[in-house]
Amino acid sequence: MLSRRKLIKRMSSLPLLGGFMGEAFPLTSSVPAPPTRDLFKELGVRTFINAAGTLTYMTGSLMQDEVLATIQYASQEFCLLDELQDKVGEKIARLVHSEAAVVTSGAFSGMTLGLAGILTGMDLKKVEQLPHLEYTGMKSEVICQKGHDIVYNHALTNTGCKIILVETVEELEKAISERTALLHFLHIQSDKGKIMHEEWVALGKKHNIPTSIDIAADVPPVENLWKFNDMGFSFVVVSGGKAMRGPQSAGLLMGKKEIIEAARLHMPPRGFNIGRGMKVNKEEILGMYVALEKFIKQDYNMLWKGWEASIGLIENTVKSLPGITTQVTVNPLGNHTPTLKISWDTDKTKLAAKDLMEALQKGNPSIEVGGGKNGISVTAWMLKPGQDKIVATRLKEELSKLS
Ligand SMILES: *Cc1c(COP(=O)(O)O)cnc(C)c1O
């Protein structure tokens, strides 16, 4: 794999044209100047080793080298935004077994746009009217299970729709009316609801109402990319900037052809719609496409073994320290990666979990881990090679202060 620096070096050693053509043709910037500024340092912004996970407030994930090279490549040419979405959408749809697909600015915008497409269809007047639904003839409610009601459902209410919460099949069937636009499902909390995936899809079909599923953080396993399309959900959304390591400002909306087509009426390059601010450009579109291809092709077993080895190394370094308990768990539904929980009796010792986290943040190098009950949690999937040893050493240093 090419490191970012090598890649930039290699690119800058390509044509020397940019240099002297620069003045006469200022737009012919075929050779970007290599970055010479350490902007994080210049601005005083802390960077850190990420042993916490794929979190938006920690800037998600690091893009794969191929994604970075693709973004660089894409930025050198103009094309028609719609033509690119058409062509990339076709390729992505084939990869994920859906009728159609479009690159969005994330799973969240995918939810908004998918629902917007269902509400308006191809009616341009309705597209302009959203998020105002009253007296428009549009439907106005989305049904969701109580256990699936999380903050991200705001993506659905952005269209003007209300969320109706239900628990049982009976309640769901009672809640269905001529106002019902969609039955929405949240995969990562499927164990917190009474109705499971297949039944949800079957209920939608029975009542002729579209069904959707949020699998934002739920790859790996890679099969989840097509499992829910195969199952018959009308649309599926996933994040591009989590485990797939595509652009952080990208995601996929996949599903029925008529929904994706209508959703695109709410997206740039068109204006007068609720999605105008959810712009993706050629860089995100091609970057997402390449990230997806690579994610599907990668040797998943090898990747998993690498994560296990790193987590094993960290666990073995700290588990024999006095007062420490360790446990490795894997969430089967989402953020599916070995996760090490390190706990201790926070009542008996002077060290609270947040003190330890602060010490790790302030150390050199700075490290972020996850918080937990009576301890912390550590993942390895966002670590660069060799950082597992650094995390293990620093944890041992700080946890030794317990006794
Ligand atoms: C991360 C996440 C989202 C938002 O995804 P973005 O790609 O950041 O827009 C939505 N739903 C769930 C469950 C998530 O974990």
Side-chain angles (χ1 to χ4, degrees):
M1 249 192 272
L2 284 175
S3 75
R4 190 170 158 183
R5 184 175 290 167
K6 265 196 218 134
L7 191 80
I8 288 163
K9 212 169 164 192
R10 190 172 286 189
M11 286 188 147
S12 58
S13 69
L14 287 170
L16 282 165
L17 279 176
F20 75 85
M21 283 177 72
E23 274 172 51
F25 303 97
L27 288 179
T28 325
S29 63
S30 58
V31 184
T36 50
R37 292 167 68 180
D38 188 345
L39 285 162
F40 289 121
K41 202 167 169 193
E42 204 177 292
L43 296 166
V45 171
R46 178 174 64 96
T47 58
F48 48 82
I49 292 174
N50 179 0
T54 59
L55 298 147
T56 296
Y57 83 101
M58 291 186 191
T59 66
S61 60
L62 298 181
M63 285 183 273
Q64 305 178 43
D65 289 340
E66 286 80 351
V67 175
L68 276 172
T70 302
I71 288 174
Q72 186 92 37
Y73 158 82
S75 71
Q76 300 304 306
E77 297 292 345
F78 289 99
C79 67
L80 294 178
L81 190 53
D82 270 335
E83 186 185 358
L84 186 64
Q85 284 280 33
D86 285 345
K87 298 270 161 69
V88 168
E90 265 175 44
K91 294 278 188 195
I92 291 177
R94 207 163 303 154
L95 289 171
V96 300
H97 310 186
S98 64
E99 285 178 20
V102 63
V103 176
T104 62
S105 60
F108 192 93
S109 69
M111 282 164 70
T112 304
L113 294 165
L115 175 55
I118 287 170
L119 293 169
T120 63
M122 299 303 283
D123 186 332
L124 291 174
K125 177 142 186 269
K126 288 179 175 167
V127 172
E128 275 189 44
Q129 284 170 325
L130 275 197
H132 303 292
L133 297 169
E134 249 181 335
Y135 311 116
T136 62
M138 283 188 269
K139 297 182 188 297
S140 58
E141 292 176 359
V142 175
I143 300 178
C144 176
Q145 296 184 72
K146 257 186 199 152
H148 294 203
D149 185 34
I150 57 164
V151 287
Y152 292 116
N153 279 349
H154 206 296
L156 302 170
T157 56
N158 273 355
T159 61
C161 279
K162 263 200 288 218
I163 308 269
I164 310 291
L165 297 176
V166 299
E167 277 186 287
T168 60
V169 172
E170 206 188 359
E171 277 177 29
L172 179 132
E173 295 203 303
K174 232 193 242 161
I176 287 177
S177 73
E178 73 283 355
R179 295 181 300 279
T180 312
L182 178 70
L183 309 182
H184 181 69
F185 195 96
L186 175 66
H187 176 67
I188 200 168
Q189 287 184 193
S190 41
D191 58 341
K192 297 199 166 59
K194 292 199 169 78
I195 310 170
M196 295 308 279
H197 310 74
E198 278 98 346
E199 196 175 10
W200 196 256
V201 171
L203 283 161
K205 288 198 172 134
K206 179 178 167 194
H207 294 277
N208 202 20
I209 298 169
T211 48
S212 59
I213 184 166
D214 173 359
I215 60 161
D218 310 342
V219 293
V222 66
E223 295 80 25
N224 276 359
L225 283 168
W226 46 86
K227 183 175 172 182
F228 304 104
N229 288 312
D230 289 343
M231 206 180 271
F233 277 94
S234 314
F235 78 75
V236 181
V237 297
V238 68
S239 295
K242 291 176 180 169
M244 275 198 271
R245 294 175 57 204
Q248 175 61 10
S249 49
L252 296 176
L253 168 62
M254 326 165 239
K256 301 277 176 255
K257 199 162 178 273
E258 67 271 16
I259 295 179
I260 307 301
E261 236 175 288
R264 284 185 57 187
L265 296 181
H266 298 265
M267 297 178 73
R270 285 152 290 276
F272 302 114
N273 54 49
I274 60 169
R276 182 58 179 82
M278 305 173 191
K279 183 152 64 178
V280 283
N281 203 15
K282 54 189 184 284
E283 291 81 6
E284 288 90 359
I285 296 169
L286 287 176
M288 185 68 245
Y289 173 43
V290 168
L292 176 74
E293 262 189 340
K294 264 221 75 189
F295 186 73
I296 292 173
K297 275 195 211 135
Q298 82 194 337
D299 185 345
Y300 178 61
N301 285 333
M302 219 173 81
L303 198 67
W304 188 271
K305 279 193 189 126
W307 295 340
E308 269 185 343
S310 292
I311 286 296
L313 181 142
I314 298 168
E315 183 180 30
N316 285 332
T317 310
V318 301
K319 75 174 175 199
S320 53
L321 294 170
I324 293 293
T325 313
T326 60
Q327 189 195 8
V328 180
T329 60
V330 178
N331 180 351
L333 293 170
N335 292 312
H336 187 66
T337 191
T339 304
L340 172 66
K341 315 254 182 206
I342 304 174
S343 48
W344 61 93
D345 192 337
T346 45
D347 289 336
K348 272 203 202 137
T349 64
K350 277 183 271 162
L351 192 72
K354 71 169 180 30
D355 299 329
L356 175 69
M357 288 168 79
E358 204 180 303
L360 293 170
Q361 286 160 355
K362 287 188 172 156
N364 185 19
S366 180
I367 297 170
E368 289 283 351
V369 296
K373 204 171 166 233
N374 301 324
I376 57 161
S377 71
V378 173
T379 65
W381 59 347
M382 293 297 124
L383 296 179
K384 296 186 207 170
Q387 289 184 334
D388 49 1
K389 289 192 193 68
I390 302 173
V391 172
T393 307
R394 283 291 296 128
L395 277 171
K396 189 176 178 181
E397 274 172 19
E398 292 301 327
L399 289 168
S400 301
K401 294 175 187 168
L402 275 177
S403 43

